[in-house]
Amino acid sequence: MLDKSRSDRFDAWPETLQQEITENWTNCRVGSHLASETETLRIWHLHLQPGERAPFHRHEETYFWTVTGPGKSRSHYHDGSVRDTVYTAGDTRHFQLGAGEFFVHDLENTGTTPLVFVTVEFKS
């Protein structure tokens, strides 16, 4: 769970975000739409309009995402960090998560164009 003993990391977060991350700690819905699932993988689509935000969710599988167009985002992470990212069409990022590894974050579209991601999770 959220490490409240290190509450100084979360002091700048609004109370609503602190509450939401705790409530969504085990939410593994990493996209807005599950496009396909087999025994070995899940393919998610995520669409965020400017100003829209995906709730906190947990990544615990090895995965990659590709963004289909340019944009900007901000994410709050379970370690208290906040990261802003700028994307160009086709950007792809891979994440290798071992047994028991995970991270929890949200994703807000801070740009002026829709953000569209395709995420592929490799089921353990």
Side-chain angles (χ1 to χ4, degrees):
M1 291 298 266
L2 189 62
D3 184 0
K4 290 290 190 174
S5 68
R6 296 297 313 263
S7 63
D8 58 312
R9 293 181 178 183
F10 303 95
D11 285 347
W13 289 24
E15 182 61 35
T16 54
L17 287 182
Q18 293 179 44
Q19 181 177 345
E20 182 188 318
I21 193 171
T22 299
E23 291 171 355
N24 286 334
W25 194 255
T26 59
N27 172 22
C28 290
R29 187 173 177 84
V30 303
S32 48
H33 172 73
L34 180 59
S36 182
E37 184 170 11
T38 70
E39 290 182 21
T40 58
L41 59 84
R42 285 183 207 95
I43 301 172
W44 295 90
H45 294 170
L46 177 63
H47 301 263
L48 294 174
Q49 294 300 317
E52 191 175 8
R53 192 177 143 271
F56 284 98
H57 54 277
R58 181 182 182 109
H59 291 275
E60 53 188 34
E61 306 280 3
T62 292
Y63 75 99
F64 72 88
W65 56 253
T66 299
V67 65
T68 64
K72 295 179 182 179
S73 73
R74 172 169 291 149
S75 288
H76 299 82
Y77 289 85
H78 75 277
D79 65 358
S81 64
V82 178
R83 294 185 198 128
D84 293 315
T85 305
V86 176
Y87 307 97
T88 58
D91 283 351
T92 300
R93 183 145 181 224
H94 295 259
F95 296 83
Q96 183 74 35
L97 298 175
E101 294 181 324
F102 72 92
F103 66 93
V104 178
H105 76 111
D106 68 347
L107 182 69
E108 179 182 2
N109 182 346
T110 58
T112 59
T113 59
L115 275 178
V116 179
F117 293 86
V118 175
T119 300
V120 177
E121 292 181 297
F122 299 95
K123 294 162 71 173
S124 311

